[in-house]
Amino acid sequence: MSAITAQADPPGLVARTRWAVSDTLTITRRNLLVWMRVPAYIVFTVIQPVIFVLMFRYVFGGAIPVHVPGGYVNFLMPGIIAQTAAFATFGTAIALAQELQKGVIDRLRSMPMARSAVLAGRLVADTARMLVTILIVVGVGYAVGFRFENGAVPAVLMVVLATVFGLAICLIAAFTGLAIGDEESVQAFGLIWLFPITFLSSAFVPIQTMPGWLQAFANNQPVTYVIDTMRALALRGPIEANLWKSAVWLAGIFIVFAPLAVRAYRRAG
């Protein structure tokens, strides 16, 4: 009798955690295989940031004076890398909206697997994809003259910060993709808010060259704080002030949008 009761007991916390991690990795592998088996998707994921690097480096670079070691290319690359991380989240929102419309999410949720695995696996896969894209962009930057002026460890920390920033934006994208649920609407909505916050920042031009009313916004938004921290890590500038502001903003995004994304996922279908 005791043996039967023991078999009927629900699995413990360790077993449930191991189960959730295993299912998440399975979904992650599924999503990465889809990405790798569509070469056009890989090309378009990478080609846009590469075009931005070349365009700003050789078309606009000579007309934008900056006072940083190495010139405009060193000023530019942290902004391009942050923008790359942000724009990579288009894939998160669009893929979730597509899977929701096609009933894939409903089918996955009906399977004997951890309910968290679908959303977590998507975020892990897209973070890995984003990291690969960032490293490619860094390589292109090196090819056109970008150099880390602050050593290897700050360079790694800059890439880590860009990836964490991208993951935070992925949570917003996951929420919008699941809440809106329509591929075209999700794509249009992403353009509406991602382009302004990346271009109206310190990514491509010094903020002091903007009109005064625009400087107030550009100086006090999370993308600027993250880019300025990345730029300081790359070029040996002051880090502390922008680092803690970046940390506060990113923590706030995780605190607000992680529950919203989970709630939208539970309501989806």
Side-chain angles (χ1 to χ4, degrees):
M1 184 70 177
S2 60
I4 295 175
T5 305
Q7 290 176 358
D9 287 340
L13 178 61
V14 174
R16 291 199 305 270
T17 302
R18 187 181 299 117
W19 179 28
V21 170
S22 176
D23 290 343
T24 297
L25 293 177
T26 300
I27 297 297
T28 298
R29 181 174 178 273
R30 167 191 174 271
N31 292 330
L32 288 176
L33 285 174
V34 170
W35 180 58
M36 294 174 65
R37 288 173 179 173
V38 184
Y41 187 50
I42 298 176
V43 170
F44 287 123
T45 301
V46 175
I47 198 69
Q48 184 183 39
V50 170
I51 289 173
F52 274 119
V53 170
L54 298 177
M55 183 173 64
F56 278 91
R57 171 71 174 92
Y58 293 113
V59 177
F60 301 118
I64 303 175
V66 295
H67 304 287
V68 299
Y72 183 71
V73 66
N74 279 1
F75 177 91
L76 170 69
M77 286 308 301
I80 290 285
I81 292 167
Q83 185 196 57
T84 298
F87 281 14
T89 63
F90 271 112
T92 303
I94 292 172
L96 286 172
Q98 286 177 335
E99 291 184 346
L100 185 60
Q101 285 183 313
K102 295 176 180 177
V104 175
I105 289 178
D106 285 337
R107 289 196 294 272
L108 290 173
R109 288 195 304 192
S110 68
M111 298 174 67
M113 60 187 299
R115 290 179 63 85
S116 61
V118 176
L119 184 56
R122 167 60 58 187
L123 292 174
V124 173
D126 287 349
T127 301
R129 177 174 57 85
M130 179 197 315
L131 178 59
V132 170
T133 307
I134 288 172
L135 294 177
I136 291 173
V137 170
V138 171
V140 173
Y142 254 71
V144 298
F146 170 66
R147 296 294 181 270
F148 288 107
E149 303 285 344
N150 202 19
V153 173
V156 171
L157 292 176
M158 189 201 78
V159 172
V160 170
L161 177 58
T163 306
V164 173
F165 168 68
L167 178 58
I169 305 299
C170 267
L171 284 172
I172 301 176
F175 168 65
T176 57
L178 291 168
I180 297 174
D182 176 74
E183 180 183 349
E184 293 181 0
S185 300
V186 165
Q187 189 169 5
F189 180 76
L191 292 172
I192 288 172
W193 74 276
L194 269 179
F195 266 93
I197 68 167
T198 52
F199 279 92
L200 302 181
S201 70
S202 62
F204 304 113
V205 298
I207 291 178
Q208 59 267 27
T209 64
M210 301 178 184
W213 59 270
L214 193 53
Q215 290 184 33
F217 172 79
N219 276 317
N220 297 282
Q221 59 119 322
V223 178
T224 291
Y225 294 139
V226 170
I227 291 172
D228 287 349
T229 305
M230 291 169 57
R231 194 170 282 133
L233 286 167
L235 304 181
R236 196 175 298 167
I239 296 173
E240 291 78 8
N242 288 310
L243 178 60
W244 77 261
K245 292 176 183 176
S246 300
V248 169
W249 269 103
L250 293 176
I253 292 172
F254 277 102
I255 290 169
V256 172
F257 282 95
L260 286 176
V262 172
R263 184 180 180 186
Y265 168 69
R266 287 175 177 170
R267 291 186 170 186

